[in-house]
Amino acid sequence: MADFDFDATLRWARFDPQRTLARRDDAELPFLSEGPEAGSEVLLDTCVYIDSLQGRAPEALLGLLDIRKANHSTVAIQELMHTVGVLDPRHPQTKTVIRQIGVVLQAMRPHRIFTPDADVLGRAALLSGMLCRLQGYEKDARLRALQDCSLFLQSIKLGLTVVTGNVKDFDYLLQLIPSGRVLFYRKRG
């Protein structure tokens, strides 16, 4: 892989605290303020799309998306399409949900969709492996950790701020790599 440097990635991973991380108090974390503020462009975590579709996105999030440029990751596209794949085709709501996800995906402007490169994916795999070991993640949480790490490192490489309602996991990522930028929100209901 031309874009992946194994030795550099191992040197980069010296931030391993070799201990379980504790979730910090909300007051110590960067949450969206009630009134939207101008700032850097954002990269949306998959939960932003889901919470918006389900009517659980807080007003502060909707206001932020009105004033900041929103970017999308193929990581989120992958997670949304996974959701389409696991839906039971016999369930009466499946067609509606698939249609809604399709509308969201088709609304993404192609010049605002970014794909993680080999460097990001390699580092994300290492970071998620460390996170899984430190926090004792099992099965489903391991795949979620890989996707979260890919999105987080992609945002750093692109100079973007991740917007997410996933406070716990992204708090851990910020503890490991404080140079990352994240804005948290709490969903309604």
Side-chain angles (χ1 to χ4, degrees), residues 74-168:
T74 54
V75 172
I77 292 171
Q78 186 179 40
E79 288 181 305
L80 289 168
M81 290 308 297
H82 179 266
T83 299
V84 169
V86 299
L87 291 171
D88 181 354
R90 296 169 297 201
H91 190 279
Q93 293 299 315
T94 294
K95 286 183 182 179
T96 301
V97 172
I98 291 172
R99 195 174 317 111
Q100 289 175 326
I101 290 172
V103 168
V104 166
L105 292 173
Q106 291 168 349
M108 293 178 182
R109 294 184 174 158
H111 69 282
R112 293 270 171 221
I113 299 173
F114 297 95
T115 301
D117 62 18
D119 179 58
V120 166
L121 293 174
R123 289 176 187 229
L126 179 64
L127 179 60
S128 69
M130 289 186 330
L131 195 58
C132 290
R133 173 177 42 84
L134 295 170
Q135 301 306 114
Y137 288 173
E138 295 182 21
K139 297 188 182 190
D140 289 346
R142 290 181 179 186
L143 177 58
R144 227 177 33 252
L146 178 59
Q147 293 163 328
D148 290 344
C149 290
S150 296
L151 187 72
F152 183 69
L153 293 177
Q154 182 182 27
S155 73
I156 292 172
K157 188 163 196 165
L158 295 171
L160 304 173
T161 300
V162 174
V163 177
T164 185
N166 181 353
V167 179
K168 183 180 89 170

Side-chain angles (χ1 to χ4, degrees), residues 3-14 119 123 126:
D3 294 324
F4 182 69
D5 185 334
F6 177 77
D7 293 327
T9 299
L10 290 181
R11 286 190 303 276
W12 170 81
R14 291 191 178 144
D119 179 58
R123 289 176 187 229
L126 179 64

